Amino acid sequence: MMQCAIYAGTFDPITLGHFDVLQRASRIFDKVVIAIVRKSNKSAMFSAEERLAMASDVASGFENVEADCFDGLLVEYARERKVNILIRGLRAYSDFEYEFQMALTNRKLAPELETMFLMPKDSHSYLSSSVVREVVELGGDIEDFVPQCVEGHIRRRFPIRKTGEE
Ligand code: COA
């Protein structure tokens, strides 16, 4: 039977840390779906369409990864897609409480779902989407933070201003 997993998140934007988790998941599962929540309680810098375009470009580098958007409960989306494994990344101990709460809530809502945690490379453990957003807003270099194809999308929205430009 084909084993499929969902890697859900806001991905605003998708970072090298997310990419690392995705790479690990793609080696374990036959198929991985990057599932982008359209609306979350965080205010997003990038629209759902922009986040989907970034994730689709990342997915095109893998044979068994696709990107999609969803609304509403993640457990309902997983049921619709007939998937019962959720992937989450654990970067540091500080992620644990939030992840634990989310995994147990999802289990209560859908007992058939399992959440599996993968740890990204330690060199990426400091990375977060909000750090990337701040660097983007302040005009800094994001080369070491996001996959190259994602940098292209971000730069189309936030071009680097040359010194002296308004
Ligand atoms: N590398 C880098 N950063 C990572 C990371 C990794 N491997 N893993 C997590 N992060 C960071 C993200 O950058 C993000 O940082 P930010 O808060 O600074 O922006 C943060 O950790 C978490 O973001 P992300 O991985 O995109 O996930 P999320 O927590 O935004 O996603 C959902 C949460 C979408 C899975 C959850 O809200 C959900 O399921 N929503 C649907 C509604 C629902 O079902 N609710 C009930 C859930 S219990």
Side-chain angles (χ1 to χ4, degrees), residues 14-160:
I14 192 161
T15 68
L16 280 175
H18 291 124
F19 181 81
D20 187 90
V21 169
L22 193 62
Q23 230 171 4
R24 289 168 204 282
S26 76
R27 290 190 215 117
I28 300 170
F29 298 99
D30 298 309
K31 188 173 170 191
V32 181
V33 179
I34 308 172
I36 300 161
V37 67
R38 226 179 264 277
K39 275 193 199 140
S40 77
N41 40 15
K42 304 178 192 171
S43 63
M45 172 178 257
F46 297 97
S47 68
E49 287 65 34
E50 286 172 311
R51 287 178 280 135
L52 178 62
M54 292 181 208
S56 300
D57 272 3
V58 168
S60 69
F62 296 85
E63 277 181 2
N64 59 343
V65 178
E66 67 166 81
D68 192 14
C69 282
F70 74 100
D71 293 295
L73 285 175
L74 176 58
V75 295
E76 291 303 333
Y77 174 75
R79 275 180 180 147
E80 268 165 39
R81 301 236 17 178
K82 300 189 173 23
V83 174
N84 54 17
I85 299 169
L86 300 177
I87 298 295
R88 293 292 291 169
L90 260 191
R91 291 164 298 170
Y93 189 68
S94 51
D95 281 343
F96 182 76
E97 210 171 320
Y98 171 64
E99 294 298 337
F100 187 69
Q101 189 182 31
M102 199 153 60
L104 293 189
T105 307
N106 283 333
R107 180 183 284 169
K108 200 80 186 159
L109 294 169
E112 75 279 11
L113 269 183
E114 271 322 323
T115 303
M116 293 183 65
F117 297 97
L118 296 175
M119 280 173 285
K121 240 192 248 171
D122 53 352
S123 56
H124 291 141
S125 59
Y126 70 95
L127 259 181
S128 75
S129 299
S130 48
V131 161
V132 175
R133 291 196 298 274
E134 186 167 346
V135 175
V136 167
E137 255 169 359
L138 300 174
D141 189 356
I142 50 169
E143 192 185 315
D144 292 336
F145 305 150
V146 296
Q148 216 174 10
C149 59
V150 172
E151 192 182 350
H153 285 276
I154 295 175
R155 286 298 163 220
R156 276 194 282 285
R157 266 279 302 279
F158 298 91
I160 297 180

